[in-house]
Amino acid sequence: MPAYKAPLRDMRYVLFELLGGDDLTSLPGFEDFSRDTIDAVLEEAAKICEEVLQPLNRSGDEEGCAFENGVVRTPKGFRQAYDTFREGGWTGIACDPAYGGQGLPAAVNTLVEEMICASNLSFGMYPGLSHGAYVSVHTYGSDELKETYLPKLVDGTWSGTMCLTEPQCGTDLGLLRTRAVPSGDGSCKITGTKIFISAGEHDLTENIVHLVLARLPDAPKGVKGISLFLTPKYLVKPDGSLGARNGVACGSIEHKMGIKASSTCVMNFDGAQGWLIGEPHKGMQAMFAMMNAERLAVGVQGLGLAEASYQGAAAYARERLQGRSLSGVKYPDKPADPLLVHPDIRRMLLTQRAYIEGSRALAVWAAKTLDLAKRHADPAERAKAEDFIAVVTPVIKALLTDLGFEATNLGVQIFGGHGYIRENGMEQLVRDCRIAQIYEGANGIQALDLVGRKMPAHAGRFLRSVFHPISDHIAAKKSDPALAEFIAPLEKAFVRLQQATTFVAQKGMARPDEAGAAASDYLRLFGLTVLAYLWAKMAEDSLAKAGQDGFYRAKIGTARFFMERLLPQTGALLQAITSGAKTMMAFEDAAF
Ligand SMILES: Cc1cc2nc3c(=O)[nH]c(=O)nc-3n(C[C@H](O)[C@H](O)[C@H](O)COP(=O)(O)OP(=O)(O)OC[C@H]3O[C@@H](n4cnc5c(N)ncnc54)[C@H](O)[C@@H]3O)c2cc1C
């Protein structure tokens, strides 16, 4: 397994130098988060990820989870690692101090999440799902539910799940069948089968708090008739101690392509006692509080895995000796030159790197905006931040996981046949990354959300929250010759994005299939243009500091590579988008 070193230098660069992270302290509740404090958090996070989580990544993949008599055992070392993680306070770093959390800014938490995913995604699933459950209960739960469950979710003694999926109902939650029957005492009896439930059963915590989507007896059909319930594995007594086992049990676990140390469970609810979260039939709203946070976090999974792959690939390319440089021998004292001399290897490494550093900037930009949306004193600023989050959430989820998958795949290619061999750890990163493109709403569904919901919302107001900073930046920098090599390609991509937007908005209004056919290409064009904007800003900032050290010169070089070698994809994407839906939709069903 390649050793993982948290990329703290780049993380600090993005947070403080690019995005002005120092001003987080001006937000109410963040007064104590000075740069020194944040630095200390990042360093401690790096330590636990590098020293505790990463060493279990390969062994966890080999051993996987085991299921016996309804009990799930996580791989060797996971329990101990979880205890260390929990005792270090990591389960609650981004949670409300009123319930024992540390209230860290989302911008910082995103970087910690990246390190966790890079070092051991399977491990990260357990606290990750708990955090999603925490968000829903914190946002929509009654005071009683909050008092009973949040402190334990925050300190990690209990974990959480989200139970949406059923055998007949994945993307289309309107088909959901799990029932909730009121018991007359304020609770309901939940009955039904959920599948693919991450962390549904395991041996890391004393209790598991399931958030379950189910239908009440009087529920309207479809997604408008779904309610959200909190259903613990063990019932909780009035004094907070654990009581009897509730009517929920794990029926089996899945054997899957990746994240093998994360348990993926069939969960059977058999008259289990559950309590409504939020209002009846408004479960989707409550679940979305959780899912939006999770979607950003899933994007960051792609980013973390890509970083782990890049680190392995870059080290390997320096060490592995094969062939000679096309421009003449570079290391005559060695039997061959290292892979690093070959243009094709550089193409792959720089592709990984340009995607990773651009994605990191985007993820932290979004997370910092989330902090503004929650805490800015001015309601108008909060509303502006909400618009931005609404539109970038599906983009981050889909783009960062797609790029993560491409980047981890390149990592295998750089290792050649050795990348295909399990013990080198590079293929695990590809397998682990693959699920991130599917769960939390498959990437195709994120694209439909972008074109179908976010694009038309409020006559394009959401889109403008992203387009305006880009167009303002182009207008402000266009006449600076020193920046032309970055601003000109950005402008070209932005024009393409606007053309694609007009096409999708107009055609899609008349024929929804047109929007559906364009959606995935549109999301990628959108995402690459946003990355180009961030790369243009990083290049400008680094040009001013290029004399300081190689870090900034590498930034400029990577920015150039992104603009010249990756951003041109936007031309092909626009062409595909504007070719319309006809080639797909005219194809006869019977011919497939
Ligand atoms: C390892 C793992 C962990 C998971 N963890 C959880 C969990 O913790 N909790 C939970 O509830 N679920 C979980 N899931 C389930 C996951 O969220 C679903 O698999 C996912 O939402 C897709 O649903 P599906 O598999 O039924 O696919 P389907 O909904 O059948 O979709 C199949 C394909 O069709 C596409 N598609 C479907 N509908 C449309 C449409 N209207 N338009 C265009 N394309 C469409 C999809 O994008 C997808 O590519 C997990 C799954 C796995 C494999």
Side-chain angles (χ1 to χ4, degrees), residues 70-266:
V71 176
V72 173
R73 198 171 21 80
T74 54
K76 214 177 291 137
F78 268 55
R79 177 71 206 250
Q80 210 179 350
Y82 184 80
D83 288 345
T84 308
F85 188 85
R86 189 175 58 72
E87 284 157 15
W90 295 104
T91 51
I93 53 167
C95 299
D96 186 348
Y99 298 99
Q102 294 173 38
L104 210 66
V108 184
N109 186 46
T110 291
L111 294 171
V112 176
E113 281 178 348
E114 184 197 317
M115 294 184 221
I116 296 170
C117 298
S119 52
N120 194 330
L121 176 56
S122 283
F123 179 93
M125 292 292 286
Y126 298 96
L129 267 296
S130 299
H131 188 71
Y134 157 86
V135 171
S136 279
V137 178
H138 189 261
T139 315
Y140 289 101
S142 65
D143 287 344
E144 201 183 336
L145 288 181
K146 286 188 196 175
E147 295 304 328
T148 309
Y149 291 94
L150 289 184
K152 300 279 191 186
L153 281 172
V154 170
D155 76 13
T157 326
W158 300 349
S159 65
T161 71
M162 55 191 278
C163 301
L164 292 77
T165 308
E166 298 177 10
Q168 78 295 343
C169 135
T171 302
D172 187 355
L173 290 170
L175 300 172
L176 192 129
R177 286 194 200 133
T178 297
R179 285 173 292 124
V181 179
S183 313
D185 63 355
S187 71
C188 287
K189 296 266 176 237
I190 313 287
T191 303
T193 296
K194 297 285 178 181
I195 62 165
F196 296 164
I197 305 308
S198 298
E201 180 60 43
H202 57 79
D203 57 0
L204 302 181
T205 57
E206 293 168 7
N207 201 5
I208 301 176
V209 183
H210 302 289
L211 296 203
V212 189
L213 287 182
R215 285 184 191 286
L216 285 160
D218 57 344
K221 281 208 162 75
V223 285
K224 296 212 165 91
I226 297 174
S227 307
L228 183 64
F229 297 88
L230 185 153
T231 308
K233 174 177 165 182
Y234 288 101
L235 295 168
V236 182
K237 292 188 202 160
D239 68 357
S241 63
L242 295 184
R245 183 82 197 241
N246 201 359
V248 47
C250 176
S252 62
I253 57 172
E254 306 294 344
H255 302 282
K256 49 196 198 293
M257 177 177 178
I259 54 165
K260 293 187 183 215
S262 163
S263 62
T264 306
C265 308
V266 172

Side-chain angles (χ1 to χ4, degrees), residues 250-291:
C250 176
S252 62
I253 57 172
E254 306 294 344
H255 302 282
K256 49 196 198 293
M257 177 177 178
I259 54 165
K260 293 187 183 215
S262 163
S263 62
T264 306
C265 308
V266 172
M267 298 303 299
N268 297 315
F269 294 84
D270 187 8
Q273 204 172 1
W275 287 266
L276 188 67
I277 297 178
E279 292 175 42
H281 317 314
K282 295 272 170 64
M284 290 304 287
Q285 191 186 2
M287 195 47 111
F288 265 105
M290 175 173 185
M291 284 174 68

Side-chain angles (χ1 to χ4, degrees), residues 356-376:
I356 290 164
E357 292 178 14
S359 296
R360 183 172 296 124
L362 174 55
V364 179
W365 184 22
K368 194 174 169 224
T369 311
L370 207 56
D371 290 323
L372 297 179
K374 285 205 189 114
R375 291 173 187 266
H376 202 286

Side-chain angles (χ1 to χ4, degrees), residues 395 398-399 402 443-444 446-448 450-451 455 496-497 500-501 503-504 514-529 569-581 583-584:
V395 175
L399 182 79
D402 283 350
N443 284 0
Q446 304 300 325
L448 287 179
L450 178 64
V451 300
M455 185 193 281
R496 287 172 176 150
L497 176 59
T501 305
F503 177 89
V504 175
E514 290 288 347
S520 287
D521 289 330
Y522 179 81
L523 185 146
R524 190 172 175 108
L525 169 54
F526 192 109
L528 288 174
T529 307
Q569 290 170 51
T570 51
L573 288 165
L574 176 64
Q575 213 174 329
I577 290 165
T578 51
S579 74
T583 48
M584 296 176 230

